[in-house]
Amino acid sequence: MNRVLIVEDEQHLADGLRFNLEAEGYQVRVVGTGEAALEVLSAPAPPVDVVVLDVMLPGKDGFAVISEMRQAGQFIPTLMLTARGHSADVLKGFAAGADDYLAKPFDLAILMARIRGLLRRGEWLRASLNHTVAAAAQPQDSFTFGEKSVHFDRQELRVRDQVFPLTLMEANLLRYLVQHEGKPVSRKAMLEDVWGLHEDTDTRAIDNFMVRLRKHLEDDAQRPRHLLTVRGVGYRFVAHPPDSK
Ligand code: CA
């Protein structure tokens, strides 16, 4: 049975979600604060397969919760509930490590579909961590450059013998850059094509993602050779820098 942790302080909304998810066969746990969520998630094997995390919470907000989760190496798929019309919140959530988002008020059927999508990706991730055989059976969806390879379906970056988990959005962004290998891509194009955001959004939010990707991708993040800044435009991914060994 799939287990959902709902982090929402508005009792009527949390109750409605619980009712509908349980009707769909999910095992549901509700907590009203970010602190309580982090406590549940800090267990060695938290009984949670997917997290629905509201941004507006008393005490620690959703951004703080997701960012603490990810910093602690907790990569359970997480959907954030944001306020409609706050596209900056969406980017802030993704930058902090969220996998998906839904603006309030949302259509319940869409929330269910998003949760199913996140669970599918979570299953791939677990399969790749626990069973190399199962992982080998997954469709080939990777890109190798030098001693590094990115596995989009499993949301991970391998550098020599090290494995770095990627959030869904990091994986999607990297895929987009790889698809445009060698060409400059603008921040606006990334926002539209990767995040599906068309509003006038602060495009500098993209830079936070680049900082994180460079940490894993580059031997020296201060002198990137793969993820290059193109001044006044955006970024350019170079798989094989000319002076690479
Ligand atoms: Ca709330």
Side-chain angles (χ1 to χ4, degrees), residues 8-10 54 56 104:
E8 170 62 88
D9 59 310
E10 287 161 72
D54 190 36
M56 296 288 283
K104 282 177 164 181

Side-chain angles (χ1 to χ4, degrees), residues 218-237:
E218 304 287 355
D219 295 328
D220 179 357
Q222 299 305 313
R223 289 187 296 167
R225 298 168 71 235
H226 294 293
L227 267 183
L228 308 180
T229 301
V230 183
R231 257 176 229 299
V233 180
Y235 292 90
R236 184 160 62 100
F237 174 72

